[in-house]
Amino acid sequence: MYTISELQEIIETAIKKVEYPAEPSKLYEPIRYIMGLGGKRMRPVLLLLSSELFNDDVTIAIEGGLAIETFHNFTLIHDDIMDNAPIRRGKDTVHIKWGVNNAILSGDVMMVEANRHLTRLDVSVLKDVLTCFNNTASGVCEGQQLDMEFEQRADVSIAEYINMIRLKTAVLVGGCMKIGAIIGGARTEDADLLYDFGVNFGLAFQLQDDILDVYGDPLKFGKQVGGDIISNKQTFLLLKLKELANAEDLRRLDSLSSSTDHMAKVQSVTTLYNRYKVREIAITEMERRADIAFTSLEKVNIGTARKAELDQLARSLINREH
Amino acid sequence: MYTISELQEIIETAIKKVEYPAEPSKLYEPIRYIMGLGGKRMRPVLLLLSSELFNDDVTIAIEGGLAIETFHNFTLIHDDIMDNAPIRRGKDTVHIKWGVNNAILSGDVMMVEANRHLTRLDVSVLKDVLTCFNNTASGVCEGQQLDMEFEQRADVSIAEYINMIRLKTAVLVGGCMKIGAIIGGARTEDADLLYDFGVNFGLAFQLQDDILDVYGDPLKFGKQVGGDIISNKQTFLLLKLKELANAEDLRRLDSLSSSTDHMAKVQSVTTLYNRYKVREIAITEMERRADIAFTSLEKVNIGTARKAELDQLARSLINREH
């Protein structure tokens, strides 16, 4: 079995080898651009790891990994348009570089490219993989829709938020795990257990993201600590605070939302978080999701040794500091 | 074998039966809206007709027809955003009704829905159908890209224009024919012949569209005659005129392009078209494409009687007056 970094290299090499038509260059150049921006390629790596649980030949899953990574990057292009985001991984977003129309269209053709990768899989797994992929893809769209709607609402509940991040982020992780398992030849029960693992692990990962944005070590975090607070992003922490805070603190929070003194704002909101122990509550929720995930993984009907690499990767991602 | 109107009814009924999730309603409502705007459903009808050439049970091809119609309407939503179009089939476009962000996202999820329909096809044809569908879909995106680029260019050649409408319009007709043939169980040679039929028929259809926009009977045409002239749209007629006109007429054409007296503009440009016989040249090109199409259809290795309905539909569409 391969190590994580070997799997990353396998995916990175495969991504570099994908050929897109030369023309129309404005349609295909953005695809090369965003696929080349890098990242840890965690989604395809998880897909390969999942396949490897059941089949030593990891090469059978590469097209699945490429499909997921292409699909993920397509959603980034379109999300960045909708969110009006200028920067992605430290570079101009596609719609800034090529304009909105081109970004829409290049995204569309990436969705086709993702399906093209899947179509190259062995015909014996094609129908199950496509079914899972389509469910995953529409889930991600639903999550983005809810995310946009929640930005306009002041009364989002924790349950709604969890459902939104489940759709927007976690089902794709679940999809990676299940698609990898199907390609590797897993039985349906095991593929479904790995889906549950992925979804709950994805939720834990996102909750850790929310926590790190406030409590991450500034030297290790990579982004501006408190970025979510500055942009009034509705995270688990903020929604939990709104649920727990008394009237006076709610007024304080409300007045802070328009503050332009970013440092003071981050400090004051963090003080409120601390007052109501929302960090601890978030960690408890994260750990609960992680426990569900690892329980599902344990139930997968293969030897423990085979799961070691996946188990270790998942634990390191949840316990990450950046 | 079914008549065209029976096939239209089969598709219409199938479209009405498709269920989308209730929530998020802003994601799925636009899909119901655009799919309900009607139209002649020519693409899925052609797909069913093509399948019926090889297999009497037309029901096996319905999911293919739904996929194509869903995909086509997805491209309409995104094209209307890019073209800034306010009206589609006499109603508000999706981005006018729900906003651009929603229109992007509903379009994305329609692409998933299209693939979901295909995934329900018999596994024996799945790989070939998906391969054809993906090639078709990326062709359509390439065509839209070229169309957008050509709007910014004054030197588009006839060959470039034909290539653009081939990608933007005709390959989808070819895709319908080929996918229908594959589902029906055609041999590869016959499926490819039907693809050629579709592409060349699609080109002839689009050329007829260009001609009718100028020379259509105002009582039958349904749209404003001369609409392409008013909006300076680069059509076969305009590009051919630019190719043939002398310097003085080119100057005249150039000054007409900014005219706000629409009736006079349509009359004057039409006079120029008549002077250089571009209508006749367009008809010749249209008939040449139609001949190629019908020659391909003749070569399909089945009895002539079986092709009668398709042959008749295609001829009526090319010789239409609106």
Side-chain angles (χ1 to χ4, degrees), chain A residues 15-61:
Chain A
I15 288 171
K16 287 206 177 74
K17 271 194 196 159
V18 174
E19 285 181 12
Y20 303 103
E23 296 292 334
S25 62
K26 281 185 185 164
L27 185 62
Y28 291 106
E29 201 48 56
I31 306 183
R32 290 185 201 95
Y33 173 77
I34 196 161
M35 293 297 287
L37 284 186
K40 293 191 289 288
R41 314 296 189 189
M42 272 308 129
R43 290 166 194 79
V45 165
L46 285 168
L47 190 149
L48 295 187
L49 272 175
S50 187
S51 174
E52 235 191 345
L53 295 177
F54 306 95
N55 192 315
D56 283 323
D57 181 8
V58 81
T59 63
I60 60 172

